[in-house]
């Protein structure tokens, strides 16, 4: 871990790391790689769009018109969509950079209610209809 690095918990919460208490700063901890991510917005709970971009909840966006927690959709991503992963910084076709936080979980398929529940609801609806029309 390094100062300025953004880390994401399993729940999707993002934190930017500061200097460790009691630790002295060293020249080796200020490399170009760490400086490259300063001011890079993070997209959490992200998913790939049908147009090849990414949509997710943004934090750390330098644009004053974009607030933390807003849902943002990028333009098409330059990287191969199959290779996108948590912690990766992606670049859009427009040149914008975003760091990917926790990915949006894939929802399990919704199961339909058991047939006997649906049949029971129809019986109630018919009985109510007959009662009201008498």
């Amino acid at each position: 871990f390094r100062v300025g690095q953004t880390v994401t918990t399993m729940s999707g919460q993002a934190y930017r790391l500061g200097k460790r208490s009691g630790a002295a700063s060293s020249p080796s901890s200020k490399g170009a790689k760490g400086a490259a991510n300063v001011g890079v917005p993070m997209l959490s709970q992200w998913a790939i769009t049908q147009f090849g971009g990414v949509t997710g909840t943004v934090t750390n966006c330098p644009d004053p018109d974009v607030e933390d927690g807003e849902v943002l959709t990028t333009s098409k991503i330059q990287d191969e969509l199959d290779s996108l992963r948590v912690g990766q910084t992606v670049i859009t076709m427009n040149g914008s950079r975003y760091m990917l936080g926790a990915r949006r979980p894939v929802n399990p398929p919704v199961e339909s209610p058991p047939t006997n529940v649906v049949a029971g609801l129809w019986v109630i609806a018919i009985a109510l209809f007959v009662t009201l029309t008498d």
Side-chain angles (χ1 to χ4, degrees):
F1 297 105
R2 64 187 183 283
V3 173
Q5 177 180 0
T6 302
V7 295
T8 305
T9 65
M10 300 252 329
S11 66
Q13 185 66 38
Y15 297 94
R16 182 170 295 274
L17 300 178
K19 188 165 58 169
R20 183 182 293 177
S21 63
S25 62
S26 66
S28 63
S29 68
K30 297 183 179 181
K33 186 177 179 185
N37 287 331
V38 173
V40 175
M42 175 174 280
L43 290 175
S44 299
Q45 301 302 308
W46 58 272
I48 299 169
T49 69
Q50 65 184 8
F51 303 109
V54 176
T55 187
T57 305
V58 69
T59 53
N60 194 38
C61 188
D63 184 339
D65 295 329
V66 178
E67 294 185 22
D68 282 358
E70 284 188 38
V71 174
L72 184 138
T73 301
T74 71
S75 58
K76 189 172 180 179
I77 300 293
Q78 292 180 10
D79 299 87
E80 290 292 326
L81 298 177
D82 302 1
S83 68
L84 299 184
R85 66 190 185 289
V86 172
Q88 179 179 355
T89 299
V90 295
I91 302 173
T92 68
M93 293 297 188
N94 295 337
S96 299
R97 301 169 71 87
Y98 298 91
M99 182 178 287
L100 300 177
R103 190 169 189 161
R104 182 180 301 159
V106 177
N107 295 330
V110 177
E111 294 183 27
S112 29
T115 307
N116 58 350
V117 171
V118 175
L121 291 174
W122 274 110
V123 169
I124 292 169
I126 292 170
L128 185 59
F129 177 76
V130 169
T131 304
L132 293 174
T133 57
D134 278 342

